[in-house]
């Protein structure tokens, strides 16, 4: 059973379309016998994904930093909880625990996670790619910036070697199946 790490927002105050699309992904993960690996928090897209996976027969592994545990924000939909010290530990454990990595819309933490995976792959620490689920064009500006860096020769390899853009749910599912 393949494990899918999902990096995403833990904010509840975002456009509901993101939660709807996230729920759709979580349902698909659960119904297709994948395991979700996430940050274990009970907020935002992180919680909506975990709930949808859990309610559709999938397993959820939460990598939970001590601060989240201390603040009482652990998801009730976790099948396995892996405690860790901080966000750096969580990120590393999620990468190690997963076969596939997806980034849903998110903030600074999600950007940090995307770039950690991509940078590690450029050096050869991992061979994993990040699939950006580009809901409503959320990642378009980032992709333009990365393409500009590539054109200016600040990257040794094409961006697509490490970061892949899934514009639709169907594209995302195909990328997961072929990973």
């Amino acid at each position: 059973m393949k494990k899918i790490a999902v990096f995403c927002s833990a904010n509840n105050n975002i456009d509901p379309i993101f939660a709807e699309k996230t729920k759709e992904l979580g349902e698909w993960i659960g119904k297709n016998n994948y395991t979700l690996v996430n940050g274990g928090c009970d907020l935002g897209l992180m919680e909506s994904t975990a709930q949808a996976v859990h309610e559709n027969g999938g397993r959820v592994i939460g990598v939970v930093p001590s601060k989240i545990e201390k603040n009482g924000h652990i998801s009730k939909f976790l099948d396995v909880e892996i405690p860790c010290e901080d966000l750096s530990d969580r990120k590393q454990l999620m990468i190690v625990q997963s076969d596939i990595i997806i980034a849903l819309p998110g903030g600074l933490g999600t950007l940090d996670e995307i770039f950690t995976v991509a940078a590690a792959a450029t050096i050869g620490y991992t061979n994993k790619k990040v699939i950006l689920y580009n809901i409503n064009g959320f990642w378009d500006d980032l992709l333009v910036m990365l393409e500009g860096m590539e054109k200016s020769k600040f990257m040794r390899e094409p961006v697509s070697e490490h970061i892949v853009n899934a514009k639709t749910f169907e594209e995302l599912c195909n990328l997961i199946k072929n990973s």
Side-chain angles (χ1 to χ4, degrees):
M1 180 183 299
K2 284 194 173 184
K3 295 187 255 179
I4 301 173
V6 174
F7 297 127
C8 61
S9 175
N11 188 345
N12 287 328
N13 301 318
I14 56 178
D15 187 323
I17 188 67
F18 297 112
E20 290 170 28
K21 292 292 190 179
T22 298
K23 182 180 176 190
E24 180 181 39
L25 173 61
E27 290 171 355
W28 187 90
I29 289 170
K31 289 176 182 175
N32 286 278
N33 298 314
Y34 290 95
T35 295
L36 171 68
V37 179
N38 77 4
C41 187
D42 67 353
L43 300 168
L45 301 182
M46 204 178 301
E47 180 73 341
S48 64
T49 308
Q51 181 177 358
V53 170
H54 181 79
E55 290 176 352
N56 285 277
R59 287 188 65 213
V60 180
I61 299 171
V63 182
V64 183
S66 58
K67 189 95 153 161
I68 289 173
E69 186 171 18
K70 180 180 165 188
N71 292 335
H73 281 291
I74 299 174
S75 174
K76 64 183 176 191
F77 300 107
L78 303 182
D79 296 298
V80 176
E81 180 185 334
I82 301 174
C84 64
E85 187 58 33
D86 56 32
L87 295 177
S88 293
D89 290 343
R90 176 171 76 176
K91 179 175 47 179
Q92 194 57 40
L93 286 165
M94 287 178 67
I95 293 166
V96 168
Q97 283 288 321
S98 65
D99 302 300
I100 300 163
I101 299 172
I102 298 170
L104 301 176
L108 292 175
T110 305
L111 286 173
D112 175 49
E113 293 157 343
I114 291 166
F115 290 130
T116 296
V117 174
T122 65
I123 298 170
Y125 286 112
T126 182
N127 62 354
K128 296 176 185 176
K129 294 182 180 186
V130 177
I131 303 169
L132 301 180
Y133 186 16
N134 200 359
I135 300 168
N136 281 9
F138 183 86
W139 295 115
D140 286 351
D141 291 339
L142 175 66
L143 291 164
V144 167
M145 183 190 77
L146 292 171
E147 289 165 7
M149 293 169 73
E150 182 181 321
K151 286 178 186 171
S152 298
K153 306 292 185 209
F154 284 97
M155 295 189 182
R156 288 182 223 110
E157 303 160 324
V159 171
S160 61
E161 291 290 315
H162 309 294
I163 299 175
V164 181
N165 182 22
K167 297 177 212 147
T168 67
F169 183 65
E170 292 72 29
E171 284 181 14
L172 177 62
C173 293
N174 285 331
L175 286 166
I176 293 169
K177 288 177 192 175
N178 295 316
S179 291

